[in-house]
């Protein structure tokens, strides 16, 4: 007995309207993702440009610091020449980099890119702090740093004749960046004291030591406020620098008259290294 042939199921016509709606929805999602991709790519490119500008600012600031370490505080000719060169670098070369950073930050959320230029700003503030100490014998304020940065940006904008750029071009300086920049100047002042002692200036190390001591005491007040791990590390480094410098000044005061001027650097460096070794041993025992 033969079975009946299978019956074909009737094909249900597809809803063409629903298919078109799904296609349009799919196209809409793809276009949204393309838009998001373009925004993320633009953000990443901007971030990389700011990082590069920040690195260039760091390099220029370090070179300025190295030049300022050669300043002889008791020689007006050496001081004025190197100070003018350092001021030109910070106002000119650094100003151009700050102007470019300000252009990148214009019209976007600064918080998204603050960490990209933060190391460069800290190094710039360190250079400004060292220059300000050589000129005035005191620490530079955050308001003065902001004013100098703004003046450099405005000067660079005027020199370029850029009338299309927005009027409110600026590079924000956070309290965090200012504090870390100032806290880093202790090591540079230590080298400045060593170089001046080598030249026969017996008063400069004591003046610099008193300044670092006062600065350290002011910064320890902020230790209770959370400024991150970097702040505490820099504060510990400044404390070690101060200990070495105090030991060197003590040796210079006690034995300075016994040592010829041309050998003062050996006495100064020897006292610093000995003090550093003793302080390290003390901390390891604690």
């Amino acid at each position: 007995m033969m079975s009946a042939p299978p019956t074909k199921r009737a094909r249900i016509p597809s809803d063409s309207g629903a298919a078109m709606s799904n296609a349009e929805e799919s196209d809409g999602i793809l276009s949204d993702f393309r838009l998001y991709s373009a925004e993320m790519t633009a953000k990443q490119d901007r971030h990389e440009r700011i990082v590069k500008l920040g690195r260039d600012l760091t390099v220029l600031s370090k070179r300025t610091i190295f030049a300022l370490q050669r300043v002889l505080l008791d020689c007006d000719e050496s001081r004025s020449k190197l100070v003018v060169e350092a001021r030109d670098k910070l106002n000119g070369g650094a100003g151009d980099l700050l102007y470019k950073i300000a252009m990148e930050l214009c019209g976007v959320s600064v918080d998204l890119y603050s960490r990209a230029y933060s190391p460069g700003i800290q190094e710039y503030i360190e250079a400004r702090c060292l220059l300000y100490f050589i000129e005035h014998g005191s620490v530079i304020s955050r308001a003065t740093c902001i004013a100098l940065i703004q003046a450099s940006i405005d000067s660079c904008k005027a020199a370029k004749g850029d009338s299309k750029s927005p009027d409110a071009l600026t590079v924000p300086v956070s309290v965090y960046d200012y504090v870390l920049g100032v806290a880093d100047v202790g090591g540079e002042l230590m080298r400045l004291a060593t170089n001046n002692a080598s030249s026969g200036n017996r008063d400069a190390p004591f003046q610099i030591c008193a300044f670092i001591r006062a600065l350290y005491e002011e910064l320890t007040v902020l230790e209770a406020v959370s400024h991150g791990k970097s702040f505490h590390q820099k504060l510990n480094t400044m404390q070690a620098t101060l200990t070495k410098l105090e030991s060197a000044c003590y040796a210079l005061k006690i034995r300075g008259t016994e040592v010829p001027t041309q050998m003062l650097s050996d006495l100064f460096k020897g006292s610093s290294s000995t003090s550093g070794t003793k302080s390290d041993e003390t901390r390891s025992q604690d």
Side-chain angles (χ1 to χ4, degrees), residues 197-228:
S198 303
S199 67
N201 187 351
R202 300 170 184 265
D203 297 328
F206 295 95
Q207 176 189 358
I208 294 173
C209 183
F211 174 77
I212 295 178
R213 187 185 299 113
L215 181 61
Y216 175 75
E217 291 175 355
E218 293 294 332
L219 290 176
T220 51
V221 177
L222 301 176
E223 194 171 10
V225 182
S226 177
H227 281 281

Side-chain angles (χ1 to χ4, degrees), residues 57-280:
L57 182 61
T58 298
V59 171
L60 190 145
S61 300
K62 284 185 179 294
R63 290 175 179 172
T64 305
I65 290 171
F66 295 154
L68 288 173
Q69 288 172 357
R70 303 197 305 268
V71 170
L72 301 180
L73 298 178
D74 60 346
C75 179
D76 294 336
E77 182 180 357
S78 169
R79 173 189 282 190
S80 60
K81 179 181 178 181
L82 292 174
V83 163
V84 169
E85 292 178 358
R87 195 185 296 122
D88 290 342
K89 285 183 180 179
L90 294 177
N91 292 338
D96 182 63
L97 295 172
L98 290 168
Y99 169 78
K100 293 178 181 178
I101 294 176
M103 288 293 293
E104 293 289 349
L105 296 176
C106 185
V108 298
S109 176
V110 178
D111 295 334
L112 294 175
Y113 304 96
S114 59
R115 296 185 64 179
Y117 67 89
S118 178
I121 287 293
Q122 292 177 25
E123 199 69 31
Y124 173 85
I125 292 175
E126 182 181 355
R128 281 290 185 186
C129 189
L130 182 59
L131 176 61
Y132 198 85
F133 170 78
I134 293 173
E135 290 183 298
H136 306 284
S138 58
V139 65
I140 190 171
S141 66
R142 177 170 172 258
T144 303
C145 287
I146 294 175
L148 289 171
I149 289 175
Q150 191 61 50
S152 298
I153 293 174
D154 294 341
S155 176
C156 186
K157 178 182 176 181
K160 292 179 181 294
D162 191 359
S163 59
K164 296 182 180 180
S165 60
D167 295 332
L169 282 180
T170 186
V171 176
V173 178
S174 65
V175 176
Y176 179 81
D177 288 336
Y178 168 75
V179 170
L180 291 186
V182 171
D184 232 3
V185 79
E188 314 307 335
L189 289 171
M190 175 74 176
R191 296 179 183 90
L192 180 65
T194 303
N195 292 337
N196 276 265
S198 303
S199 67
N201 187 351
R202 300 170 184 265
D203 297 328
F206 295 95
Q207 176 189 358
I208 294 173
C209 183
F211 174 77
I212 295 178
R213 187 185 299 113
L215 181 61
Y216 175 75
E217 291 175 355
E218 293 294 332
L219 290 176
T220 51
V221 177
L222 301 176
E223 194 171 10
V225 182
S226 177
H227 281 281
K229 184 178 179 181
S230 298
F231 174 71
H232 297 289
Q233 290 176 344
K234 291 179 184 293
L235 201 60
N236 292 335
T237 302
M238 179 175 283
Q239 182 183 17
T241 299
L242 179 60
T243 302
K244 295 177 183 179
L245 188 56
E246 287 177 338
S247 178
C249 288
Y250 175 79
L252 185 62
K253 187 72 173 179
I254 299 300
R255 300 177 53 201
T257 55
E258 305 173 3
V259 182
T261 301
Q262 60 271 20
M263 296 180 63
L264 280 177
S265 61
D266 298 333
L267 173 65
F268 201 85
K269 294 177 182 178
S271 300
S272 299
S273 60
T274 302
S275 172
T277 303
K278 290 182 179 179
S279 62
D280 292 341

